[in-house]
């Protein structure tokens, strides 16, 4: 199977390298920026281009791993061919390919990728969708070579899964940012929170998050909450502290 | 060194067992509830009591590991003795002991403890404070037997450290709760988010959280943000999504 990568960012890099390790042949990398295209192609030992017209047309699988906003334009620039076109975006519907080809789908690995960090791909859940039954089988076969957790999911459900991921990743990371800001003022490094951050994440392997919830907000302990609000000088952080605390209490008492 | 534990909850259990493993002698456990007192004492193979008047007075170290709200009452019930009294609370000042004894301090391990989960105590940062220099030395010696990360920290700084921990633990866990709620509606298990949750926490070992921040809120992509807001039906979750997104954008552009 010959794979063509459209995009050379973090996700494209991790996915292309993993496919290559699993014996799939990545034949070409396209990216708008020469540096990323050349860099990924070098790692894959394959050809690259920055010209959408020069994308080869004999690929079996075209993986569009670009930013959501760039996706429609890149799709419209690819010349029609007989390959299977998939994108990797949580929030974009599969139908974005409609009118450009009849063989299309989605290959969504639910993970956050950084260039510097390696991840165990076998543990990453991959969610698939395809316009045609036979293409879903092709995607399943590819996905199962990479991951132990392959599922079929509609565009509608996938965008809600992506929303959940925004809370679990983007918003969680923002809590780390705010914790780091508080420590910075005291000249304490974020390192002191690492064991706590790790254990907070690890607990979710053992119990539902609602059961793992602790802290003054659970019983809405106004004495502690007011003292902590007094320490926050930034009005937006104060507002956030208040809203999250109220919501923790609400979830705890709804049980 | 003879240690007496006041309290038999999660923190008391983990700390007492670790002290015992490190060769310190825990001689007695006091708790208001017979079941917890007896349970911890059984694990330590020591005596227990539910009568504050029956707490032995020949201890070298008294560890008060009870809920913040219970601390003042428990301290007032202990008969004066010559031991060193410490509490384990992030937000309580050291001076809470003033007037009851002249040998007092704080032993604050920064971690979230659950009965069912074992933790590597050597990795837990422990923050110390003592009214007397010589008692700080005693505490340092004890703490260094348990942990590789022992620091001295004032009450004022400790309460801010505890506030940072509320963001990193309580508020982070709440993000997991909300992510879980979104998935529940789609009949998807929280398991699908575990690799993402783990990687989000692990990234902080490699880069500052602000650098790890991704998602539509960084550039305040209104198109994506509005679509995601539309999916949230709960008004409080909507408000939270909006406030956190604004704040992510604010932090990203302050850089």
């Amino acid at each position: 199977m010959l794979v063509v990568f459209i995009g050379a960012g973090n996700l494209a890099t991790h996915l292309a390298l993993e496919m290559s390790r699993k014996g799939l042949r990545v034949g070409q990398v396209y990216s708008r920026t020469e540096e990323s295209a050349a860099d990924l192609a070098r790692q894959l030992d394959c050809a690259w281009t920055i010209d959408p017209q020069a994308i080869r047309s004999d690929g079996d699988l075209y993986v569009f791993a670009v930013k959501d906003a760039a996706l429609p334009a890149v799709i419209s620039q690819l010349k029609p061919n007989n390959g299977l076109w998939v994108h990797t975006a949580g929030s974009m519907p599969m139908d974005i390919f409609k009118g450009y080809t009849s063989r299309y789908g989605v290959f969504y690995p639910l993970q956050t990728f950084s260039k510097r960090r390696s991840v165990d791909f076998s543990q990453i859940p991959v969610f698939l969708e395809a316009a045609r039954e036979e293409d879903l089988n092709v995607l399943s076969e590819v996905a199962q070579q990479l991951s132990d957790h392959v599922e079929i999911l509609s565009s509608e459900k996938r965008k809600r899964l992506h929303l959940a991921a925004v809370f679990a990743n983007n918003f969680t990371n923002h809590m780390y940012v705010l914790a780091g800001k508080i420590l910075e003022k005291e000249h304490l490094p974020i390192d002191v929170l690492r064991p706590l951050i790790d254990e907070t994440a690890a607990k979710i392997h053992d119990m539902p998050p609602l059961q793992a919830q602790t802290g003054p907000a659970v019983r809405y302990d106004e004495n502690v909450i007011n003292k902590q609000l007094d320490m926050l000088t930034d009005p937006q952080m104060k507002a956030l502290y208040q809203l999250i605390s109220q919501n923790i209490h609400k979830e705890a008492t709804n049980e």
Side-chain angles (χ1 to χ4, degrees), chain A:
Chain A
M1 173 170 290
L2 178 68
V3 187
V4 175
F5 262 83
I6 320 288
N10 293 345
L11 196 162
T13 300
H14 281 278
L15 184 54
L17 289 172
E18 187 67 16
M19 283 183 166
S20 174
R21 273 190 290 266
K22 289 292 155 59
L24 295 160
R25 188 160 68 93
V26 181
Q28 192 185 25
V29 172
Y30 160 84
S31 167
R32 266 189 324 172
T33 43
E34 191 168 323
E35 199 191 330
S36 349
D39 186 43
L40 179 53
R42 188 185 43 75
Q43 293 179 70
L44 292 161
D45 191 21
C46 76
W48 58 271
T49 180
I50 54 165
D51 175 10
Q53 297 304 307
I55 296 173
R56 56 195 288 176
S57 57
D58 59 344
D60 299 299
L61 182 65
Y62 290 80
V63 181
F64 292 75
V66 298
K67 290 214 168 69
D68 287 13
L71 195 54
V74 183
I75 292 172
S76 72
Q77 286 169 332
L78 191 66
K79 283 186 290 190
N81 61 42
N82 295 321
L84 170 55
W85 298 12
V86 296
H87 73 66
T88 56
S91 281
M92 301 300 267
M94 174 174 72
D95 284 354
I96 194 165
F97 289 113
K98 226 175 181 168
Y100 296 103
T101 175
S102 57
R103 294 188 61 204
Y104 57 88
V106 176
F107 188 104
Y108 175 52
L110 180 57
Q111 186 51 290
T112 172
F113 298 96
S114 354
K115 279 226 164 90
R116 285 194 281 162
R117 289 181 55 82
S118 70
V119 287
D120 177 1
F121 222 100
S122 70
Q123 294 307 307
I124 300 175
V126 176
F127 297 90
L128 305 177
E129 194 180 9
R132 292 181 178 184
E133 184 73 28
E134 56 270 37
D135 287 335
L136 197 54
N137 294 336
V138 173
L139 287 182
S140 291
E141 227 168 273
V142 171
Q144 277 163 10
Q145 285 182 64
L146 309 182
S147 164
D148 298 339
H149 305 272
V150 178
E151 280 185 52
I152 295 160
L153 200 73
S154 69
S155 290
E156 200 51 40
K157 274 175 180 269
R158 190 179 59 254
K159 80 178 181 196
R160 290 184 157 78
L161 173 60
H162 183 249
L163 176 62
V166 165
F167 278 87
N169 169 253
N170 302 166
F171 290 5
T172 288
N173 188 75
H174 186 57
M175 299 303 123
Y176 304 160
V177 170
L178 298 179
K181 280 189 81 170
I182 296 167
L183 292 182
E184 211 172 41
K185 276 196 185 169
E186 309 301 321
H187 308 291
L188 287 165
I190 186 102
D191 307 42
V192 300
L193 287 179
R194 277 185 196 151
L196 180 66
I197 284 173
D198 286 346
E199 178 65 11
T200 305
K203 267 193 177 180
I204 304 310
H205 292 256
D206 272 4
M207 60 188 94
L210 200 55
Q211 200 181 310
Q213 190 69 57
T214 55
V218 174
R219 281 184 193 79
Y220 212 79
D221 183 339
E222 281 201 64
N223 185 25
V224 177
I225 288 174
N226 289 336
K227 276 187 199 159
Q228 298 204 321
L229 278 171
D230 283 345
M231 284 188 266
L232 294 168
T233 45
D234 177 323
Q236 250 189 297
M237 261 175 95
K238 237 191 217 319
L240 238 165
Y241 179 100
Q242 228 153 359
L243 195 56
I244 296 177
S245 294
Q246 283 162 2
N247 217 44
I248 288 175
H249 181 61
K250 186 186 140 201
E251 293 297 334
T253 46
N254 271 2
E255 265 295 282

